[in-house]
Amino acid sequence: MFTPKYPTPDTAPPPTAGTPTVHTPVPITPTPAPVSNRPTVQLTPGSVLVLAVGGGGMVLVVGAVLVSLLLAVAITGVSVAVVAVVLRLLVNDLHKGR
């Protein structure tokens, strides 16, 4: 049941390393590039300025989001540390019997 089942071998043996294979070269004929019906993009100074301002604004927005996420993690860590110190002080006071 658990014995491996091997596929039947091919009838032709694989080529050995001693027999070189000869490849005949195929002539390459250059083909002309296809003509595109789409209009080319014309970048004017105004559009370049809009792209630069838009890219800069996107960088600022992503940076603000990442900084706010980092601040949220830092504030959460500080508050958890303060709660841990307060709980430790309360547990110590209970053990002393005050």
Side-chain angles (χ1 to χ4, degrees), residues 68-91:
S68 64
L69 287 173
L70 182 63
L71 264 172
V73 169
I75 291 171
T76 304
V78 169
S79 64
V80 167
V82 168
V83 168
V85 168
V86 169
L87 284 176
R88 183 177 174 193
L89 290 174
L90 288 174
V91 169

Side-chain angles (χ1 to χ4, degrees), residues 5-94:
K5 298 193 174 29
Y6 297 108
T8 58
D10 293 334
T11 57
T16 60
T19 59
T21 56
V22 178
H23 296 285
T24 57
V26 177
I28 299 174
T29 58
T31 58
V35 177
S36 174
N37 291 336
R38 295 184 296 168
T40 59
V41 177
Q42 299 291 328
L43 290 178
T44 62
S47 63
V48 170
L49 182 66
V50 168
L51 284 174
V53 170
M58 186 64 70
V59 167
L60 289 177
V61 167
V62 170
V65 168
L66 291 177
V67 167
S68 64
L69 287 173
L70 182 63
L71 264 172
V73 169
I75 291 171
T76 304
V78 169
S79 64
V80 167
V82 168
V83 168
V85 168
V86 169
L87 284 176
R88 183 177 174 193
L89 290 174
L90 288 174
V91 169
N92 284 341
D93 284 345
L94 284 175

